[in-house]
Amino acid sequence: MAMPLTRKRSLHTTSRSISPPALRRKVGITEDAAPTWPSSTDYVRIFSWNVNGIGPLLQRPLSFDSVSLTPLRSFLKRHDWPQLLCLQEVQISPRDTATQRQLQRAANRGQTPDEPAYILHLSLPRDEYNATGFGGKVYGVATLIRDDTSSQISLTRRPDWDLEGRVLIHEFEIDLVIINGYWVNGTSNPYRDPHTGQVTGTRHDHKLRFHQHMLEEVLQAQREGRHVIMMGDMNVARARVDGHPNLRTSPLQHVKNRADFNAKFFTSKDGMRGIDVFRHLHGTSRKYTYHPRGRNWGESCDRVDMIIVSRGLVNEAGAVIGTDICDSAVDRGHSDHVPLWISLDWFKLQSQKCRMPGERRDKSPCPWLSWLSA
Protein backbone atom coordinates (compact mmCIF):
# COMPACT_ATOMS: atom_id res chain seq x y z
CA MET A 1 0.00 0.00 0.00
CA ALA A 2 1.36 3.39 -0.94
CA MET A 3 2.25 5.60 1.98
CA PRO A 4 0.46 8.97 2.10
CA LEU A 5 2.57 11.88 1.01
CA THR A 6 3.74 13.86 4.02
CA ARG A 7 4.15 17.59 4.02
CA LYS A 8 7.78 18.54 3.58
CA ARG A 9 9.60 21.61 4.71
CA SER A 10 10.40 24.13 2.01
CA LEU A 11 13.93 23.80 0.66
CA HIS A 12 13.94 27.38 -0.58
CA THR A 13 16.26 29.10 1.92
CA THR A 14 18.59 31.41 0.02
CA SER A 15 19.42 34.60 1.89
CA ARG A 16 18.31 36.88 -0.94
CA SER A 17 14.98 35.09 -1.31
CA ILE A 18 13.96 34.66 2.30
CA SER A 19 15.24 37.03 4.93
CA PRO A 20 14.88 36.17 8.61
CA PRO A 21 12.18 38.01 10.53
CA ALA A 22 13.32 41.52 11.34
CA LEU A 23 11.61 42.05 14.68
CA ARG A 24 14.77 43.08 16.53
CA ARG A 25 16.28 45.43 13.98
CA LYS A 26 16.43 49.09 14.89
CA VAL A 27 14.56 51.55 12.74
CA GLY A 28 16.67 54.18 11.03
CA ILE A 29 13.88 56.46 9.79
CA THR A 30 14.09 60.03 11.03
CA GLU A 31 11.43 62.70 10.79
CA ASP A 32 13.75 65.54 9.78
CA ALA A 33 14.36 64.24 6.25
CA ALA A 34 12.70 66.31 3.54
CA PRO A 35 9.41 65.03 2.09
CA THR A 36 9.62 63.69 -1.44
CA TRP A 37 6.77 65.67 -2.99
CA PRO A 38 4.92 68.89 -2.17
CA SER A 39 1.30 68.59 -1.15
CA SER A 40 -1.14 69.01 -4.04
CA THR A 41 -4.75 68.03 -4.51
CA ASP A 42 -4.08 67.48 -8.23
CA TYR A 43 -1.61 64.65 -7.79
CA VAL A 44 -1.85 61.10 -6.54
CA ARG A 45 1.33 59.72 -5.01
CA ILE A 46 2.02 56.01 -4.78
CA PHE A 47 4.96 54.53 -2.90
CA SER A 48 6.54 51.09 -3.03
CA TRP A 49 8.95 49.63 -0.48
CA ASN A 50 10.34 46.18 0.21
CA VAL A 51 10.52 46.45 4.00
CA ASN A 52 12.24 43.08 4.57
CA GLY A 53 10.08 42.43 7.62
CA ILE A 54 7.31 44.67 8.92
CA GLY A 55 8.17 44.27 12.61
CA PRO A 56 10.40 47.34 13.13
CA LEU A 57 7.78 49.64 11.60
CA LEU A 58 5.19 48.53 14.16
CA GLN A 59 7.22 49.34 17.26
CA ARG A 60 5.62 51.73 19.71
CA PRO A 61 8.07 54.51 20.56
CA LEU A 62 9.32 54.89 24.11
CA SER A 63 7.41 58.05 24.94
CA PHE A 64 5.01 59.38 27.53
CA ASP A 65 3.16 61.15 24.73
CA SER A 66 -0.11 59.31 24.16
CA VAL A 67 -0.20 60.37 20.49
CA SER A 68 3.39 59.47 19.58
CA LEU A 69 3.65 57.94 16.11
CA THR A 70 4.83 54.50 15.13
CA PRO A 71 7.69 54.37 12.60
CA LEU A 72 5.14 53.38 9.94
CA ARG A 73 2.89 56.38 10.64
CA SER A 74 5.98 58.61 10.72
CA PHE A 75 6.96 57.33 7.26
CA LEU A 76 3.52 58.14 5.88
CA LYS A 77 3.58 61.61 7.42
CA ARG A 78 7.10 62.41 6.24
CA HIS A 79 6.11 61.53 2.68
CA ASP A 80 3.01 63.72 2.82
CA TRP A 81 0.38 60.99 3.19
CA PRO A 82 0.63 59.06 -0.11
CA GLN A 83 -2.63 57.68 -1.46
CA LEU A 84 -1.17 54.17 -1.62
CA LEU A 85 1.80 52.54 0.05
CA CYS A 86 2.68 49.16 -1.46
CA LEU A 87 4.84 47.04 0.84
CA GLN A 88 6.65 43.83 -0.06
CA GLU A 89 8.21 41.08 2.04
CA VAL A 90 6.18 41.96 5.12
CA GLN A 91 6.96 38.49 6.53
CA ILE A 92 3.75 37.88 8.46
CA SER A 93 2.49 34.35 9.02
CA PRO A 94 -1.06 33.89 7.72
CA ARG A 95 -1.90 32.48 11.16
CA ASP A 96 -0.56 35.54 12.97
CA THR A 97 -3.72 37.61 13.12
CA ALA A 98 -2.34 39.67 16.01
CA THR A 99 0.44 41.14 13.85
CA GLN A 100 -2.01 41.71 11.01
CA ARG A 101 -4.20 43.77 13.35
CA GLN A 102 -1.12 45.53 14.72
CA LEU A 103 -0.13 46.59 11.20
CA GLN A 104 -3.54 48.21 10.67
CA ARG A 105 -3.27 50.03 14.01
CA ALA A 106 0.33 51.14 13.42
CA ALA A 107 -0.64 52.85 10.17
CA ASN A 108 -3.17 55.01 12.04
CA ARG A 109 -1.78 55.42 15.56
CA GLY A 110 -1.57 59.10 16.46
CA GLN A 111 -3.97 60.22 13.73
CA THR A 112 -5.32 63.73 14.23
CA PRO A 113 -8.68 64.98 12.88
CA ASP A 114 -7.02 66.74 9.93
CA GLU A 115 -4.96 63.71 8.87
CA PRO A 116 -6.01 60.71 6.76
CA ALA A 117 -6.52 57.17 7.96
CA TYR A 118 -5.35 54.09 6.07
CA ILE A 119 -7.07 50.82 5.21
CA LEU A 120 -5.02 47.63 4.98
CA HIS A 121 -5.08 44.90 2.33
CA LEU A 122 -2.87 41.81 2.69
CA SER A 123 -1.81 38.83 0.65
CA LEU A 124 0.05 36.27 2.75
CA PRO A 125 1.48 32.87 1.76
CA ARG A 126 -0.87 29.91 1.66
CA ASP A 127 1.45 27.47 -0.13
CA GLU A 128 1.92 24.41 2.11
CA TYR A 129 5.19 23.32 0.50
CA ASN A 130 7.05 26.39 -0.79
CA ALA A 131 6.42 29.03 1.87
CA THR A 132 7.01 27.34 5.22
CA GLY A 133 10.39 28.73 6.31
CA PHE A 134 10.64 30.75 9.54
CA GLY A 135 7.26 29.49 10.69
CA GLY A 136 5.54 30.89 7.62
CA LYS A 137 6.98 34.39 8.11
CA VAL A 138 8.14 34.70 4.51
CA TYR A 139 7.14 36.76 1.49
CA GLY A 140 3.81 38.58 1.84
CA VAL A 141 2.64 41.90 0.40
CA ALA A 142 0.49 44.63 1.93
CA THR A 143 -1.11 47.75 0.53
CA LEU A 144 -2.13 50.66 2.73
CA ILE A 145 -4.79 52.75 0.99
CA ARG A 146 -5.78 56.19 2.19
CA ASP A 147 -9.38 56.27 3.36
CA ASP A 148 -10.37 58.99 0.88
CA THR A 149 -9.00 56.82 -1.94
CA SER A 150 -10.27 53.37 -1.00
CA SER A 151 -13.84 54.09 -2.14
CA GLN A 152 -12.52 54.63 -5.68
CA ILE A 153 -11.23 51.05 -5.88
CA SER A 154 -13.88 48.70 -7.20
CA LEU A 155 -12.00 45.47 -6.50
CA THR A 156 -8.88 44.27 -4.69
CA ARG A 157 -7.95 40.67 -5.34
CA ARG A 158 -5.31 38.02 -4.81
CA PRO A 159 -4.92 36.04 -8.05
CA ASP A 160 -5.61 32.33 -7.69
CA TRP A 161 -2.28 31.42 -9.29
CA ASP A 162 -0.28 33.15 -6.54
CA LEU A 163 -0.10 30.92 -3.46
CA GLU A 164 3.07 32.47 -2.01
CA GLY A 165 1.47 35.79 -1.04
CA ARG A 166 3.27 37.87 -3.65
CA VAL A 167 0.57 39.82 -5.50
CA LEU A 168 -2.25 42.26 -4.77
CA ILE A 169 -4.25 43.69 -7.68
CA HIS A 170 -6.24 46.90 -7.18
CA GLU A 171 -8.80 47.78 -9.86
CA PHE A 172 -10.01 51.38 -9.83
CA GLU A 173 -13.38 52.69 -10.97
CA ILE A 174 -11.54 54.59 -13.68
CA ASP A 175 -9.53 52.58 -16.20
CA LEU A 176 -6.54 51.91 -13.97
CA VAL A 177 -5.09 48.77 -12.38
CA ILE A 178 -2.28 48.92 -9.81
CA ILE A 179 -0.37 45.69 -9.13
CA ASN A 180 1.70 45.42 -5.95
CA GLY A 181 4.15 42.56 -6.41
CA TYR A 182 7.04 40.80 -4.71
CA TRP A 183 8.44 38.89 -7.66
CA VAL A 184 10.09 35.48 -7.42
CA ASN A 185 13.85 35.32 -7.02
CA GLY A 186 15.33 32.69 -9.32
CA THR A 187 17.57 30.08 -7.67
CA SER A 188 18.50 26.47 -8.30
CA ASN A 189 16.62 25.38 -5.17
CA PRO A 190 13.78 22.92 -5.81
CA TYR A 191 10.22 24.07 -6.36
CA ARG A 192 7.42 21.76 -5.20
CA ASP A 193 4.01 21.38 -6.72
CA PRO A 194 1.82 23.33 -4.25
CA HIS A 195 -0.87 20.62 -4.34
CA THR A 196 1.18 17.41 -4.17
CA GLY A 197 4.54 18.47 -2.73
CA GLN A 198 6.43 16.75 -5.54
CA VAL A 199 9.51 18.53 -6.87
CA THR A 200 8.65 19.87 -10.33
CA GLY A 201 11.69 22.00 -11.15
CA THR A 202 13.65 24.85 -9.64
CA ARG A 203 12.87 28.34 -8.38
CA HIS A 204 14.21 29.55 -11.74
CA ASP A 205 11.37 27.67 -13.44
CA HIS A 206 8.90 29.13 -10.96
CA LYS A 207 10.24 32.64 -11.66
CA LEU A 208 9.64 32.27 -15.39
CA ARG A 209 6.09 31.01 -14.76
CA PHE A 210 5.54 34.00 -12.48
CA HIS A 211 6.61 36.32 -15.32
CA GLN A 212 4.05 34.68 -17.59
CA HIS A 213 1.24 34.93 -15.04
CA MET A 214 1.96 38.61 -14.45
CA LEU A 215 2.07 39.28 -18.18
CA GLU A 216 -1.31 37.61 -18.64
CA GLU A 217 -2.80 39.83 -15.91
CA VAL A 218 -1.40 42.93 -17.61
CA LEU A 219 -2.50 41.98 -21.12
CA GLN A 220 -6.02 41.17 -19.94
CA ALA A 221 -6.31 44.58 -18.28
CA GLN A 222 -4.94 46.35 -21.35
CA ARG A 223 -7.36 44.48 -23.63
CA GLU A 224 -10.14 45.89 -21.45
CA GLY A 225 -8.83 49.39 -22.10
CA ARG A 226 -7.21 49.84 -18.69
CA HIS A 227 -3.88 51.42 -17.85
CA VAL A 228 -1.62 49.27 -15.67
CA ILE A 229 0.95 50.26 -13.07
CA MET A 230 3.16 47.43 -11.78
CA MET A 231 5.33 48.26 -8.81
CA GLY A 232 7.44 46.38 -6.32
CA ASP A 233 10.57 44.30 -5.90
CA MET A 234 10.91 42.52 -9.24
CA ASN A 235 14.12 40.68 -8.32
CA VAL A 236 15.87 41.47 -11.58
CA ALA A 237 18.22 44.24 -12.69
CA ARG A 238 17.38 45.15 -16.27
CA ALA A 239 20.75 46.29 -17.67
CA ARG A 240 24.37 47.09 -16.90
CA VAL A 241 23.46 50.54 -15.58
CA ASP A 242 21.24 48.90 -12.95
CA GLY A 243 24.01 47.06 -11.12
CA HIS A 244 27.04 48.31 -9.20
CA PRO A 245 29.86 47.55 -9.44
CA ASN A 246 28.74 44.86 -11.88
CA LEU A 247 25.58 43.33 -13.29
CA ARG A 248 25.06 39.74 -12.21
CA THR A 249 25.77 37.43 -15.15
CA SER A 250 26.31 34.06 -13.48
CA PRO A 251 25.01 31.49 -13.29
CA LEU A 252 23.77 31.73 -16.86
CA GLN A 253 20.14 31.23 -15.85
CA HIS A 254 20.10 34.75 -14.35
CA VAL A 255 20.91 36.11 -17.81
CA LYS A 256 18.06 34.08 -19.29
CA ASN A 257 15.67 35.29 -16.58
CA ARG A 258 16.62 38.90 -17.32
CA ALA A 259 16.10 38.42 -21.05
CA ASP A 260 12.69 36.86 -20.42
CA PHE A 261 11.68 39.76 -18.16
CA ASN A 262 12.80 42.43 -20.63
CA ALA A 263 11.09 40.71 -23.54
CA LYS A 264 7.76 40.13 -21.80
CA PHE A 265 7.40 43.59 -20.29
CA PHE A 266 9.33 45.89 -22.64
CA THR A 267 10.45 44.68 -26.06
CA SER A 268 8.33 41.84 -27.43
CA LYS A 269 5.48 42.85 -29.74
CA ASP A 270 3.37 40.25 -27.92
CA GLY A 271 4.29 41.58 -24.49
CA MET A 272 3.28 44.53 -22.35
CA ARG A 273 5.48 47.07 -24.18
CA GLY A 274 5.68 48.88 -20.86
CA ILE A 275 7.63 51.95 -19.78
CA ASP A 276 10.14 51.84 -16.93
CA VAL A 277 9.26 55.27 -15.56
CA PHE A 278 12.55 55.84 -13.74
CA ARG A 279 14.57 55.29 -16.91
CA HIS A 280 12.00 57.25 -18.93
CA LEU A 281 12.32 60.36 -16.74
CA HIS A 282 15.88 60.04 -15.40
CA GLY A 283 17.75 58.47 -18.31
CA THR A 284 20.89 56.63 -17.24
CA SER A 285 21.03 58.13 -13.73
CA ARG A 286 22.60 55.69 -11.34
CA LYS A 287 20.31 55.15 -8.41
CA TYR A 288 19.72 51.79 -6.79
CA THR A 289 17.04 50.21 -4.65
CA TYR A 290 18.78 47.18 -3.11
CA HIS A 291 21.59 47.95 -0.66
CA PRO A 292 22.57 44.82 1.29
CA ARG A 293 23.23 45.27 4.97
CA GLY A 294 26.72 44.42 6.14
CA ARG A 295 28.28 46.29 3.21
CA ASN A 296 29.34 49.92 3.09
CA TRP A 297 26.66 52.13 1.56
CA GLY A 298 27.07 52.21 -2.23
CA GLU A 299 29.68 49.45 -2.30
CA SER A 300 27.35 46.87 -3.86
CA CYS A 301 23.82 47.69 -5.02
CA ASP A 302 21.21 46.98 -7.69
CA ARG A 303 18.04 48.55 -9.07
CA VAL A 304 15.67 45.62 -8.72
CA ASP A 305 12.59 47.51 -7.49
CA MET A 306 10.73 49.20 -10.32
CA ILE A 307 7.57 50.94 -11.45
CA ILE A 308 6.44 49.85 -14.92
CA VAL A 309 3.43 51.49 -16.58
CA SER A 310 1.35 51.03 -19.71
CA ARG A 311 2.55 53.20 -22.60
CA GLY A 312 -0.79 54.94 -22.82
CA LEU A 313 -0.41 56.31 -19.31
CA VAL A 314 2.61 58.30 -20.55
CA ASN A 315 2.11 58.80 -24.28
CA GLU A 316 -1.66 59.32 -24.46
CA ALA A 317 -2.82 60.41 -21.03
CA GLY A 318 0.37 62.28 -20.11
CA ALA A 319 -0.52 61.45 -16.53
CA VAL A 320 2.91 60.55 -15.11
CA ILE A 321 4.19 63.68 -13.35
CA GLY A 322 7.26 62.38 -11.57
CA THR A 323 9.08 59.42 -10.09
CA ASP A 324 12.22 58.81 -8.08
CA ILE A 325 14.13 56.43 -5.86
CA CYS A 326 14.75 57.45 -2.23
CA ASP A 327 18.35 56.32 -2.53
CA SER A 328 19.75 57.04 0.93
CA ALA A 329 20.67 55.14 4.07
CA VAL A 330 18.11 57.18 6.00
CA ASP A 331 15.27 56.06 3.74
CA ARG A 332 16.47 52.45 3.75
CA GLY A 333 15.77 52.39 7.49
CA HIS A 334 15.87 48.86 8.89
CA SER A 335 15.43 47.24 5.46
CA ASP A 336 17.88 46.33 2.70
CA HIS A 337 15.78 48.16 0.09
CA VAL A 338 14.86 51.83 -0.28
CA PRO A 339 11.43 53.18 -1.23
CA LEU A 340 10.48 54.49 -4.66
CA TRP A 341 7.46 56.47 -5.82
CA ILE A 342 5.40 57.70 -8.74
CA SER A 343 3.16 60.76 -8.96
CA LEU A 344 0.15 60.90 -11.28
CA ASP A 345 -2.02 63.74 -12.54
CA TRP A 346 -5.37 62.15 -11.77
CA PHE A 347 -7.38 64.71 -13.71
CA LYS A 348 -5.44 64.06 -16.91
CA LEU A 349 -5.96 60.36 -16.43
CA GLN A 350 -9.71 60.58 -15.90
CA SER A 351 -10.23 63.12 -18.70
CA GLN A 352 -8.71 60.73 -21.25
CA LYS A 353 -10.92 57.80 -20.32
CA CYS A 354 -13.70 57.94 -17.79
CA ARG A 355 -16.08 55.08 -17.24
CA MET A 356 -18.66 55.13 -14.51
CA PRO A 357 -19.95 51.74 -13.31
CA GLY A 358 -22.39 50.34 -15.86
CA GLU A 359 -21.77 53.12 -18.39
CA ARG A 360 -19.73 53.34 -21.57
CA ARG A 361 -16.40 55.17 -21.64
CA ASP A 362 -16.53 58.85 -22.50
CA LYS A 363 -14.54 62.01 -21.84
CA SER A 364 -16.97 63.76 -19.52
CA PRO A 365 -15.78 64.70 -16.02
CA CYS A 366 -16.16 62.07 -13.35
CA PRO A 367 -18.23 63.60 -10.53
CA TRP A 368 -16.74 61.33 -7.88
CA LEU A 369 -13.28 62.85 -8.45
CA SER A 370 -14.27 65.61 -6.04
CA TRP A 371 -12.49 63.50 -3.39
CA LEU A 372 -9.18 64.79 -4.76
CA SER A 373 -9.90 68.39 -3.85
CA ALA A 374 -12.07 67.79 -0.80
Side-chain angles (χ1 to χ4, degrees), residues 167-185:
V167 181
L168 278 171
I169 300 176
H170 307 287
E171 301 180 4
F172 283 74
E173 293 285 357
I174 60 172
D175 293 330
L176 178 68
V177 175
I178 294 177
I179 303 178
N180 175 10
Y182 176 44
W183 297 47
V184 174
N185 186 32

Side-chain angles (χ1 to χ4, degrees), residues 13-201:
T13 57
T14 61
S15 60
R16 178 68 179 92
S17 304
I18 302 179
S19 302
L23 295 176
R24 297 186 181 275
R25 295 196 209 123
K26 294 183 179 179
V27 178
I29 297 174
T30 60
E31 292 206 39
D32 55 357
T36 53
W37 195 263
S39 177
S40 171
T41 58
D42 294 336
Y43 302 137
V44 169
R45 296 175 313 284
I46 308 168
F47 271 72
S48 176
W49 187 17
N50 179 329
V51 294
N52 192 21
I54 197 66
L57 293 176
L58 310 184
Q59 297 169 358
R60 296 187 64 170
L62 297 176
S63 172
F64 293 104
D65 184 356
S66 61
V67 295
S68 57
L69 305 183
T70 62
L72 178 57
R73 184 75 180 179
S74 294
F75 177 91
L76 293 165
K77 181 178 181 179
R78 179 160 65 87
H79 291 294
D80 202 19
W81 312 117
Q83 276 76 11
L84 279 83
L85 172 59
C86 297
L87 303 173
Q88 301 90 44
E89 211 173 352
V90 294
Q91 298 176 359
I92 302 174
S93 167
R95 297 178 295 277
D96 186 0
T97 56
T99 300
Q100 295 170 40
R101 291 192 298 269
Q102 188 181 2
L103 173 52
Q104 174 73 71
R105 290 194 299 267
N108 295 302
R109 188 175 189 274
Q111 178 196 3
T112 63
D114 60 340
E115 293 175 347
Y118 284 84
I119 296 170
L120 172 67
H121 292 272
L122 282 165
S123 179
L124 301 177
R126 53 195 192 277
D127 189 315
E128 298 181 349
Y129 298 98
N130 298 291
T132 59
F134 302 106
K137 293 183 178 181
V138 294
Y139 315 138
V141 293
T143 305
L144 289 165
I145 304 174
R146 226 169 69 175
D147 55 359
D148 59 357
T149 307
S150 62
S151 62
Q152 313 313 323
I153 297 176
S154 58
L155 178 65
T156 289
R157 60 186 176 90
R158 302 179 303 173
D160 292 338
W161 52 264
D162 169 38
L163 298 179
E164 293 187 348
R166 294 180 175 275
V167 181
L168 278 171
I169 300 176
H170 307 287
E171 301 180 4
F172 283 74
E173 293 285 357
I174 60 172
D175 293 330
L176 178 68
V177 175
I178 294 177
I179 303 178
N180 175 10
Y182 176 44
W183 297 47
V184 174
N185 186 32
T187 72
S188 58
N189 289 336
Y191 176 78
R192 297 183 181 278
D193 183 290
H195 305 292
T196 68
Q198 297 287 352
V199 174
T200 58

Side-chain angles (χ1 to χ4, degrees), residues 265-311:
F265 299 101
F266 297 102
T267 61
S268 172
K269 63 181 179 61
D270 298 320
M272 177 185 182
R273 301 286 292 171
I275 291 178
D276 177 343
V277 291
F278 181 80
R279 286 282 164 248
H280 181 74
L281 294 179
H282 296 280
T284 57
S285 296
R286 289 183 176 268
K287 285 191 174 183
Y288 306 99
T289 63
Y290 174 62
H291 293 265
R293 307 198 73 86
R295 305 287 293 270
N296 293 329
W297 179 264
E299 181 181 6
S300 175
C301 39
D302 300 280
R303 189 179 71 99
V304 295
D305 305 75
M306 282 173 262
I307 301 172
I308 303 172
V309 305
S310 298
R311 284 184 173 271

Side-chain angles (χ1 to χ4, degrees), residues 223-296:
R223 282 192 294 268
E224 295 170 355
R226 298 174 181 268
H227 298 300
V228 177
I229 299 175
M230 297 193 303
M231 60 198 321
D233 178 0
M234 300 184 184
N235 263 312
V236 63
R238 290 190 60 206
R240 176 66 185 83
V241 70
D242 297 312
H244 176 79
N246 297 300
L247 183 68
R248 188 174 185 180
T249 56
S250 64
L252 181 61
Q253 187 61 47
H254 287 293
V255 179
K256 295 179 179 178
N257 294 345
R258 180 180 302 116
D260 182 78
F261 177 81
N262 281 329
K264 281 184 167 63
F265 299 101
F266 297 102
T267 61
S268 172
K269 63 181 179 61
D270 298 320
M272 177 185 182
R273 301 286 292 171
I275 291 178
D276 177 343
V277 291
F278 181 80
R279 286 282 164 248
H280 181 74
L281 294 179
H282 296 280
T284 57
S285 296
R286 289 183 176 268
K287 285 191 174 183
Y288 306 99
T289 63
Y290 174 62
H291 293 265
R293 307 198 73 86
R295 305 287 293 270
N296 293 329

